[in-house]
Amino acid sequence: MGSYIAKRLLLTIPLLVIISLITFLLINLSPLDPAVVVLQAQDVPQITAELIDQTNEALGFNQPFLVRYMDWMVAVVQFDFGYSYVSGESVWSLIGPALLNTLKLTLVSSVFIIVLSILLGVLCALKEGKLLDQSVRGVSFFLTAMPSYWLAAILIWYFSVKIDLLPTSGMDSYRSYILPVLVITVSYTGIYFRTVRSAMLSNMNEDYVLYARASGLSERKVMLHILRNSLQVAVSIFCMAIPIVLGSTVVIENVFAWPGLGRLSVKSILSRDFPIIQAYVLILAVTFVLFNMLSDMINAALNPRLRKEI
C-alpha cells in the first residue's frame, strides 16, 4: 500500500504543475495590458503611458513569462498569492477566512448528503418497486431538477419572511446554517442516493449473496456484506462530493449572503481582481485533484487488486 501511495503522489505532481500553469495564464488572457487592469481595478481616473510603465515595473509584468511564473509558483507554495488589485491587501488575508467559512458550510452539508444518501439508497433498494421506493425516487427527481436558487428563495420566503423563524443571511449562529445546508443537501442527495441504490441492487443479485445465505449466515450479516461491497462502488462519488459542493456554493453563498469563497470570487470577477480569481481557481482545482487521489487510495485499501494497476 505504501508503494501505491508513493506512485499515486508522483503521478499527481505533473497534474498540479499543469493546473498551476493554466491558472497563471488567466491574467494573460485579458486583451488589456495587465497594468491597465490593475489601474482600472484601483479606479485610477487617468491612465497614462508613463503610469502603465511604472505599474509594469513595480509589479514585474515586464519580466519574461517563465520568470514571472516561477516567482509566482515559489510564492504560492508559501501560501503567498500576491496582493489584491482593488484593496491592496494580501490575497491570503482575504481568501483565508472566506475559505474557512466555505469549508464549514461544505463539510456540514457533505455529512448530511452522505448519510442521507446511504440511508435512502439502502432503504429504496430493500423496498425496490414498492410505494416507498417509487415515492422517494419521484420526490428526489423533482427536487434535484429544481434550481438551487429557486429552492433557496422559496425557503427564505417561508421560513424567514412568513413565519420569521430562520435568518436570511450571515453566519451568526447554528440557525444560519439550516437553510443553506438544507438547499445543498436536497440538491445533491437525490443524485448520490441513486448510486447507492443501484450498487445495492447489483450486489444483491451476485452469487456470493446466494452462497452466504446457503451457508447459514444471518440476513443481517448478509446485508452488511452487501452494503460494504456497495459502498466500494460509491466511495469515489462520496469523496468527490466535498470538492463538488465546495465549488458549487457560489449561488448559495450569494443568495444567503454567506461570507465565503464563492461570494468573494463573484466580487473579484466583477472588479477584475485577478490575484483573488487565480487563488480561487487554483484552490478549487487542487482540491479536486487531492480528493480524487484520496478516493483512489481508499478504493485501493478496500480492493487490493487495484494497487497493481499503477
Side-chain angles (χ1 to χ4, degrees):
M1 188 65 188
S3 61
Y4 174 86
I5 293 175
K7 292 177 182 178
R8 194 65 183 82
L9 287 172
L10 288 175
L11 289 174
T12 302
I13 293 175
L15 181 58
L16 292 176
V17 172
I18 294 172
I19 289 172
S20 67
L21 181 60
I22 295 174
T23 304
F24 185 75
L25 282 171
L26 276 175
I27 197 170
N28 297 279
L29 294 178
S30 174
L32 297 175
D33 188 306
V36 175
V37 175
V38 175
L39 295 171
Q40 288 180 344
Q42 295 175 350
D43 292 328
V44 175
Q46 186 175 359
I47 300 175
T48 63
E50 182 180 359
L51 191 56
I52 292 175
D53 291 338
Q54 291 176 356
T55 305
N56 279 324
E57 180 69 28
L59 298 179
F61 292 147
N62 53 358
Q63 297 290 325
F65 174 80
L66 287 179
V67 173
R68 288 187 286 124
Y69 170 68
M70 291 305 298
D71 290 341
W72 181 75
M73 272 297 297
V74 171
V76 164
V77 172
Q78 304 173 45
F79 294 97
D80 179 7
F81 295 96
Y83 294 88
S84 168
Y85 288 168
V86 177
S87 65
E89 298 178 68
S90 166
V91 170
W92 184 249
S93 68
L94 296 171
I95 213 169
L99 175 60
L100 181 60
N101 292 337
T102 298
L103 284 175
K104 292 177 181 177
L105 181 61
T106 299
L107 292 176
V108 173
S109 301
S110 298
V111 169
F112 278 100
I113 290 170
I114 293 172
V115 171
L116 284 177
S117 296
I118 293 174
L119 290 177
L120 291 177
V122 172
L123 189 61
C124 288
L126 295 176
K127 302 293 183 181
E128 181 191 9
K130 296 184 179 180
L131 179 61
L132 178 63
D133 178 35
Q134 296 176 352
S135 300
V136 171
R137 284 192 292 155
V139 172
S140 69
F141 179 80
F142 173 75
L143 293 176
T144 303
M146 183 182 296
S148 57
Y149 62 86
W150 187 26
L151 177 60
I154 293 174
L155 293 178
I156 289 174
W157 169 77
Y158 184 77
F159 289 103
S160 302
V161 178
K162 189 172 182 180
I163 63 177
D164 193 22
L165 182 63
L166 298 172
T168 61
S169 61
M171 49 178 298
D172 300 327
S173 66
Y174 74 93
R175 296 170 68 247
S176 303
Y177 283 80
I178 296 176
L179 291 184
V181 167
L182 181 59
V183 173
I184 295 173
T185 301
V186 167
S187 299
Y188 287 97
T189 300
I191 300 173
Y192 293 129
F193 101 88
R194 292 193 192 98
T195 302
V196 178
R197 178 183 179 274
S198 298
M200 285 285 294
L201 291 176
S202 176
N203 276 278
M204 287 169 70
N205 294 320
E206 292 289 336
D207 291 337
Y208 76 86
V209 177
L210 179 63
Y211 297 149
R213 284 173 174 155
S215 62
L217 282 180
S218 65
E219 191 64 22
R220 178 175 173 274
K221 290 184 178 180
V222 171
M223 293 309 301
L224 286 176
H225 281 294
I226 294 174
L227 178 60
R228 182 175 179 273
N229 292 331
S230 299
L231 291 182
Q232 287 184 29
V233 178
V235 68
S236 298
I237 297 176
F238 285 145
C239 281
M240 296 307 293
I242 294 178
I244 289 174
V245 173
L246 181 67
S248 63
T249 57
V250 176
V251 174
I252 301 302
E253 288 184 359
N254 280 276
V255 171
F256 291 100
W258 190 271
L261 199 57
R263 195 173 179 216
L264 177 63
S265 68
V266 171
K267 290 181 180 179
S268 302
I269 291 171
L270 294 176
S271 62
R272 292 185 178 181
D273 202 343
F274 282 107
I276 294 181
I277 299 172
Q278 283 180 321
Y280 174 71
V281 172
L282 184 63
I283 288 172
L284 282 186
V286 170
T287 302
F288 271 91
V289 171
L290 293 180
F291 273 89
N292 183 57
M293 181 177 65
L294 177 63
S295 69
D296 289 345
M297 291 179 179
I298 294 175
N299 278 322
L302 295 174
N303 187 355
R305 290 175 295 179
L306 296 176
R307 303 172 196 174
K308 301 178 181 179
E309 295 183 1
I310 294 183

